[in-house]
């Protein structure tokens, strides 16, 4: 085993090394040190955390996205329609915002009406890949206008919720996927293409799809899709808690992208603030606005611009959207927060073979997070001698630290690794090796925090 040539730590006197050796020997004699400690069976030390509450979605951010979509339409012939440059420019805007904050995005291409169409799919790393919650909105407009309420409103609210997930570093039990559909105005073409191209296994992993098409109507009503009861309840309870009455959406079937998922047997839900139907007197009494006037008088018209939005409606529906994503994404059993540690001391052979310290993780469903914390506490007189690896339950190895010339003492730090590809439950190991002679130490303990 190599010995470091001429790079001894000046602070490292023979006396200091001898004292440490005696310390280790003394600890061994007292039975405090074991070579491969039995896996720590300490479960989550934190109480099972209730599902975290969704953050408020800033309406200013949502409206900033609408302004960008308006500019895109203005700069591309006045619309963002399928097959026109304004649509692809809209998709590029949304994709860039998501790529910038760590989403895994993909653009799915299809053809309709002789023109190329595109869906944008954005996966938030982590969560149980076998339990997927999707939220989506069609991004295309009709050819006659910029489509800011129909459906910039849904697109912007879904985008801002996805960005809020990233801002929060949110790690739900389920896997979150967001989608922006092409060619909805031609008959839900993009979403149907997506669902039809899922394998049956992929389809079975989608626990629910939430649709948001026209959620900022200027003469708004508050309609909740009358489809999956559990999803419907999440929305209705949220509005009830805010003192906002809702009605079930009776016209919705087949009228937007949720139909593509419902037809495949996937539970669906969503929100709608109304299109060309007229608001009744009774509805005006409970919601405000104007009776005898369409919920959105600019439906499919050139006047569907940024002026065609009711801020209160869009703020409420955006917050309800985020609430549903946080609530439905939490997973069936609220994931216990959780620290799993092994505090047994393990001596590290000087210039010798690697040692391992196991931790048994239990009680977690699905995969580990994309930001798994690995707390390490090693006492050593020359930390540059040390190579440290995290070994997942399936045996895959992640390098936490390489050897180097750092002559300092000890390694007391927390590493963050993307372990979202690993199942959480199982025996994880910290593997430590001292690759140079003359200095030695021991693993004092280590901890995984989910
Ligand atoms: N077809 C949608 C607008 C629409 C009409 N009724 C509903 C009900 C639920 C969602 C959407 C709609 C469009 O023009 O995009
Ligand atoms: Ca808000
Ligand atoms: Zn439309
Ligand atoms: Zn629409």
């Amino acid at each position: 085993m190599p010995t470091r040539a001429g790079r001894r730590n000046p602070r490292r006197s023979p006396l200091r090394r001898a004292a440490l050796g005696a310390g280790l020997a003394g600890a061994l004699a007292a039975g405090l040190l074991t070579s491969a400690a039995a896996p720590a069976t300490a479960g989550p030390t934190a109480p099972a955390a209730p599902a975290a509450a969704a953050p408020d979605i800033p309406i200013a951010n949502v409206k900033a996205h609408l302004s960008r979509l308006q500019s895109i339409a203005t700069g591309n012939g006045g619309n963002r329609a399928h097959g026109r440059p304004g649509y692809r420019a809209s998709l590029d805007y949304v994709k860039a915002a998501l790529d910038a904050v760590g989403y895994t995005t993909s653009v799915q291409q299809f053809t309709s009406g002789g023109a190329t169409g595109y869906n944008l799919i954005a996966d938030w790393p982590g969560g149980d890949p076998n339990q997927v919650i999707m939220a989506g909105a069609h991004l295309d407009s009709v050819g006659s206008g910029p489509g800011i309420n129909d459906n910039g409103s849904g697109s912007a609210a879904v985008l801002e919720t996805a960005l809020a997930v990233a801002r929060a570093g949110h790690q739900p039990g389920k896997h979150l996927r967001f989608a922006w559909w092409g060619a909805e105005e031609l008959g839900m073409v993009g979403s149907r293409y997506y669902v039809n191209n899922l394998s049956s296994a992929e389809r079975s992993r989608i626990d629910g799809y939430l649709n948001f098409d026209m959620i900022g109507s200027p003469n708004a009503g508050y309609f909740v899709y009358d489809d999956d009861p559990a999803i419907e309840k999440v929305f209705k309870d949220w509005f009830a808690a805010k003192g906002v009455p809702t009605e079930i959406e009776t016209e919705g079937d087949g009228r937007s992208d949720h139909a593509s998922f419902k037809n495949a047997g996937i539970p669906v839900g969503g929100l709608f603030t109304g299109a060309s139907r007229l608001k009744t007197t009774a509805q005006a009494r409970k919601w405000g606005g104007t009776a005898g006037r369409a919920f959105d008088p600019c439906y499919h018209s050139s006047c569907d611009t940024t002026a065609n939005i009711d801020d209160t409606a869009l703020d409420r529906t955006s917050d309800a959207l985020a609430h549903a994503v946080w609530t439905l994404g939490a997973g069936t059993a609220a994931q216990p927060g959780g620290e799993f540690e092994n505090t047994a001391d393990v001596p590290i052979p000087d210039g010798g073979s690697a040692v391992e310290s196991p931790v048994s993780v239990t009680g977690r469903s699905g995969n580990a997070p994309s930001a798994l914390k690995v707390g390490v506490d090693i006492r050593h007189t020359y930390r540059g001698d040390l190579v440290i690896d995290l070994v997942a339950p399936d045996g895959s190895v992640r390098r936490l630290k390489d050897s180097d010339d750092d002559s300092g003492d000890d390694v007391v730090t927390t590493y963050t690794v993307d372990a979202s590809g690993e199942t959480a439950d199982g025996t994880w190991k910290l593997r430590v090796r001292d690759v140079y002679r003359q200095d030695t130490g021991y693993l004092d303990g280590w901890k995984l925090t989910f």
Side-chain angles (χ1 to χ4, degrees):
M1 179 55 64
T3 298
R4 290 179 184 277
R7 285 187 293 167
R8 300 314 310 154
N9 174 351
R11 290 183 297 127
R12 201 174 290 144
S13 70
L15 283 178
R16 176 175 169 72
R17 258 205 312 281
L20 182 68
L24 283 178
L28 278 170
L32 296 177
L33 299 183
T34 52
S35 54
T41 52
T45 49
D56 173 74
I57 300 301
I59 182 61
N61 293 7
V62 180
K63 293 193 73 179
H65 300 314
L66 294 182
S67 297
R68 292 292 298 271
L69 295 178
Q70 176 71 62
S71 300
I72 288 169
T74 304
N76 288 282
N79 68 71
R80 300 179 304 102
H82 164 71
R84 309 292 297 279
Y87 176 75
R88 181 66 208 227
S90 301
L91 184 145
D92 291 343
Y93 166 69
V94 175
K95 183 179 187 295
L98 294 163
D99 288 340
V101 296
Y103 276 84
T104 304
T105 59
S106 60
V107 178
Q108 183 182 48
Q109 198 169 303
F110 60 88
T111 303
S112 181
T116 302
Y118 307 92
N119 294 323
L120 174 64
I121 311 297
D123 283 276
W124 179 241
D128 183 354
N130 296 311
Q131 297 184 86
V132 178
I133 290 292
M134 285 190 75
H138 76 84
L139 185 57
D140 63 312
S141 75
V142 290
S144 53
I148 297 307
N149 186 38
D150 184 17
N151 182 39
S153 62
S155 298
V158 171
L159 171 59
E160 190 56 28
T161 296
L163 296 178
V165 165
R167 280 196 297 269
H170 188 40
Q171 286 293 334
K174 295 188 178 182
H175 178 80
L176 299 182
R177 181 174 300 151
F178 300 90
W180 290 263
W181 307 117
E184 185 274 346
E185 299 290 6
L186 280 72
M188 289 82 79
V189 176
S191 57
R192 188 166 57 245
Y193 182 86
Y194 173 78
V195 174
N196 289 348
N197 282 276
L198 291 172
S199 67
S200 56
E202 288 167 327
R203 209 172 300 172
S204 67
R205 294 192 188 107
I206 301 175
D207 276 7
Y209 171 73
L210 312 178
N211 193 59
F212 304 93
D213 183 355
M214 300 184 71
I215 61 171
S217 305
N219 190 29
Y222 295 93
F223 299 97
V224 176
Y225 291 11
D226 179 27
D227 281 292
D228 178 76
I231 298 175
E232 180 179 342
K233 185 177 188 314
V234 168
F235 285 121
K236 289 170 82 167
D237 288 354
W238 186 88
F239 279 100
K242 301 288 181 187
V244 178
T246 55
E247 292 184 9
I248 55 171
E249 166 47 43
T250 50
E251 272 191 53
D253 277 359
R255 297 288 302 266
S256 190
D257 294 300
H258 58 300
S260 303
F261 291 80
K262 185 172 183 176
N263 295 339
I266 295 170
V268 301
L271 296 174
F272 177 55
T273 52
S276 52
R277 250 184 318 166
L278 305 187
K279 181 179 278 186
T280 67
T281 304
Q283 289 171 330
R285 262 201 296 274
K286 65 181 167 183
W287 288 327
T290 308
R293 187 167 180 262
F295 294 103
D296 180 355
C298 289
Y299 177 59
H300 286 188
S301 307
S302 59
C303 58
D304 186 5
T305 66
T306 46
N308 188 46
I309 291 288
D310 177 284
D311 289 6
T312 301
L314 186 55
D315 190 17
R316 287 170 171 169
T317 51
S318 299
D319 289 337
L321 194 174
H323 168 75
V325 167
W326 254 257
T327 302
L328 296 167
T332 42
Q335 291 276 27
E339 294 179 351
F340 300 79
E341 63 184 336
N342 190 335
T343 56
D345 293 357
V346 181
I348 305 165
D350 182 19
S353 53
V355 291
E356 293 182 347
S357 171
V359 158
S360 173
V361 174
T362 57
R364 301 197 64 77
S365 67
N367 281 23
S370 56
L372 176 63
K373 305 291 184 193
V374 187
V376 173
D377 186 344
I378 295 176
R379 307 294 155 163
H380 199 279
T381 53
Y382 198 109
R383 58 172 164 249
D385 289 0
L386 299 175
V387 173
I388 307 173
D389 290 319
L390 176 67
V391 184
D394 68 356
S396 58
V397 178
R398 285 166 177 77
R399 176 57 50 90
L400 302 178
K401 177 192 178 295
D402 284 308
S403 61
D404 54 32
D405 288 340
D406 184 345
S407 62
D409 291 354
D410 307 336
V411 176
V412 182
T413 190
T414 297
Y415 300 97
T416 301
V417 294
D418 178 358
S420 57
E422 307 296 341
T423 53
D425 276 6
T427 299
W428 296 71
K429 296 172 191 162
L430 192 77
R431 178 181 294 162
V432 186
R433 189 172 175 208
D434 178 336
V435 295
Y436 288 107
R437 300 293 308 207
Q438 289 190 20
D439 285 88
T440 187
Y442 67 97
L443 171 63
D444 191 37
W446 72 288
K447 174 162 71 174
L448 287 175
T449 302
F450 286 77

